[in-house]
Amino acid sequence: MSEWELLNVPASGLTSVAFGKKDSGVLLLSSWDDTVRVYDVEQNVMRYSYRHSRVERKQDDGGDGSASPSKQTKKKKKKNKKKNKGKKKMDDDDDDDNDDSDDDAEAMGKVGVLSCCFGWNNKHVFSAGVDGKLVVSSMTDESERVLGTHDAPIRHVLYNDATNATVTGSWDKSIGVWDHRVRDALQSRFYTQGKVFAMDAHQHRLVVGTSGRHVYIFDLRNTSQPEQVRVSSLVHQTRAIKCFADGTGYALSSIEGRVSVEYFDPDAKVQARKYAFKAHRQVVNGAQTLYPVNAIAVHPLYGTFATGGSDGVINVWDGRNKKRICRYPAYSNHVAALDFSHDGKLMAVAVSYTWDNGPPTTGSTESVYIRKVKDNEVKPKLKSNAE
């Protein structure tokens, strides 16, 4: 069996998947149904779950390292909520004035979990969602607590092993760096020019994509100021970012079916190597249709990367040689999230409607597939002498 479907997955939109650290038998899943779930993929059973929004903050204000939003902020959010009522997308347009971040939970009917990740081991989980809370859960004693908050939905959370830091990126136009080991968990907060739409890290380097197509590159050992601030090579809204396995750069995708390959080194010769290409476009009824590239996953051994789009397709690319290695048959719905296991032998695929065109006109089926990866699907092909 080269692929199997996980049982007991949420019926609402799926938002992120993550394999365990050095354990391909464990998978983490978050969803718009407010749950975070951990699966044993080999036995195909759910081992653990909790409801993100039900975790309460402690009453002693500031104990989690963050302050409650000011009255002025709350009034502004209420005003924006009324202004933008009825618009139901997961991410907003490049123009922040058209945003409806606060209405997303109402549109989906529940408080959504937008991102999740494993912590310092496979027994601790971080989750972040529309309610602006960063939650840490311990599977050992089945407990949860709020580590901190943002003033708007948290779009992404990641745990960085190199610095033992948890990093959040929010629609309140800020990046938070947290230390779960201390009472005042918030270590730093940096305000960006736009809302955080995408984020990833490799070793000490953090890359953040925001509205307005800005890209921030930080050294996580000092997040007071970014090392670099760039404008995306792609002309439309950023959807996903993933760092390369060798740490030299990252792949960035957008809503109009394109992917760019970027490098960290600002040297002109290195920057001359960056490029962009069409990744998820099809001709439908004689017209070219563009599909958002929702997810990027980098193979840990070969350095190639997979992209998943709203066309339901997964492509695997050799970024160094500018070639597509493999195209999997299309799934029945959008590819919302992807991840490779630590050994590169498995790929997790979250198939779920991503609200690109507003509410679904028909019933949406949510599925998670575990696929056994073959070498010829992800390994760069050797160049022939003729090439």
Side-chain angles (χ1 to χ4, degrees):
M1 183 169 55
S2 61
E3 182 178 85
W4 65 95
E5 184 177 354
L6 284 187
L7 303 176
N8 195 23
V9 300
S12 296
L14 310 179
T15 55
S16 65
V17 290
F19 276 106
K21 296 175 180 291
K22 298 182 179 180
D23 186 354
S24 58
V26 180
L27 186 75
L28 183 63
L29 172 68
S30 62
S31 167
W32 274 99
D33 77 342
D34 192 36
T35 64
V36 179
R37 308 183 186 206
V38 179
Y39 294 86
D40 181 327
V41 299
E42 295 176 354
Q43 299 297 319
N44 203 348
V45 294
M46 185 177 69
R47 296 296 191 190
Y48 180 74
S49 70
Y50 66 91
R51 289 197 172 276
H52 171 91
S53 68
R54 293 185 181 179
V55 183
E56 297 294 335
R57 289 187 60 188
K58 293 181 180 180
Q59 294 299 315
D60 52 331
D61 184 43
D64 58 6
S66 61
S68 299
S70 65
K71 292 182 179 180
Q72 182 177 0
T73 302
K74 290 180 179 179
K75 287 180 180 179
K76 182 178 179 182
K77 289 172 68 177
K78 186 175 181 181
K79 180 179 179 182
N80 288 340
K81 182 176 179 180
K82 183 177 180 180
K83 176 181 177 182
N84 297 307
K85 190 174 182 181
K87 184 164 171 273
K88 304 170 183 177
K89 290 183 181 178
M90 186 170 175
D91 280 336
D92 66 348
D93 295 328
D94 287 342
D95 183 355
D96 288 335
D97 291 335
N98 291 329
D99 175 57
D100 92 85
S101 302
D102 299 322
D103 284 343
D104 283 334
E106 293 182 14
M108 297 296 289
K110 295 186 178 183
V111 177
V113 185
L114 301 181
S115 182
C116 63
C117 66
F118 283 106
W120 54 101
N121 58 33
N122 293 334
K123 295 297 183 181
H124 294 86
V125 171
F126 291 97
S127 60
V130 171
D131 57 7
K133 293 190 297 192
L134 170 63
V135 170
V136 56
S137 174
S138 170
M139 295 171 60
T140 303
D141 57 10
E142 298 186 355
S143 65
E144 294 87 35
R145 64 186 175 96
V146 177
L147 195 64
T149 60
H150 280 263
D151 288 346
I154 302 174
R155 183 62 185 88
H156 284 285
V157 60
L158 62 83
Y159 184 81
N160 181 253
D161 291 301
T163 58
N164 293 316
T166 307
V167 186
T168 51
S170 171
W171 286 338
D172 68 3
K173 302 182 182 181
S174 77
I175 301 162
V177 179
W178 313 80
D179 187 343
H180 66 276
R181 300 167 296 183
V182 298
R183 183 174 180 274
D184 294 326
L186 182 62
Q187 302 301 295
S188 68
R189 193 188 295 272
F190 181 86
Y191 286 89
T192 62
Q193 298 179 60
K195 300 173 184 179
V196 175
F197 286 166
M199 186 171 71
D200 194 32
H202 181 274
Q203 295 298 325
H204 297 108
R205 186 156 274 147
L206 173 72
V207 187
V208 180
T210 71
S211 58
R213 299 169 41 238
H214 292 101
V215 178
Y216 294 79
I217 301 172
F218 291 89
D219 184 331
L220 278 170
R221 294 167 295 188
N222 179 15
T223 54
S224 59
Q225 291 293 328
E227 291 182 323
Q228 301 177 49
V229 179
R230 302 177 177 179
V231 176
S232 169
S233 301
L234 307 182
V235 298
H236 292 281
Q237 182 192 109
T238 300
R239 181 54 65 89
I241 287 177
K242 200 68 178 178
C243 294
F244 296 141
D246 61 5
T248 59
Y250 57 93
L252 180 150
S253 69
S254 71
I255 61 171
E256 100 292 7
R258 292 174 66 86
V259 173
S260 66
V261 172
E262 309 276 350
Y263 296 94
F264 292 126
D265 191 335
D267 182 81
K269 291 183 179 180
V270 176
Q271 289 301 304
R273 293 164 48 201
K274 69 180 182 181
Y275 66 96
F277 61 96
K278 300 174 183 178
H280 291 263
R281 298 186 176 194
Q282 296 180 17
V283 176
V284 179
N285 296 326
Q288 188 177 71
T289 303
L290 316 180
Y291 297 93
V293 185
N294 302 314
I296 305 173
V298 173
H299 195 274
L301 302 182
Y302 298 127
T304 53
F305 61 92
T307 58
S310 291
D311 53 357
V313 170
I314 296 173
N315 292 309
V316 181
W317 308 91
D318 178 355
R320 184 180 297 274
N321 295 311
K322 302 182 182 181
K323 290 185 176 182
R324 182 168 64 183
I325 302 173
C326 176
R327 181 186 188 277
Y328 294 114
Y331 290 93
S332 61
N333 211 336
H334 302 176
V335 176
L338 291 172
D339 195 31
F340 282 112
S341 59
H342 77 283
D343 55 9
K345 294 181 179 180
L346 296 177
M347 178 195 294
V349 184
V351 178
S352 178
Y353 181 64
T354 53
W355 286 63
D356 298 338
N357 300 308
T361 55
T362 58
S364 177
T365 303
E366 326 303 320
S367 305
V368 175
Y369 296 95
I370 306 299
R371 185 179 186 89
K372 291 183 178 179
V373 178
K374 300 177 182 178
D375 260 14
N376 63 357
E377 297 172 340
V378 293
K379 188 175 182 179
K381 293 178 173 60
L382 296 176
K383 287 186 176 182
S384 64
N385 294 331
E387 295 179 302

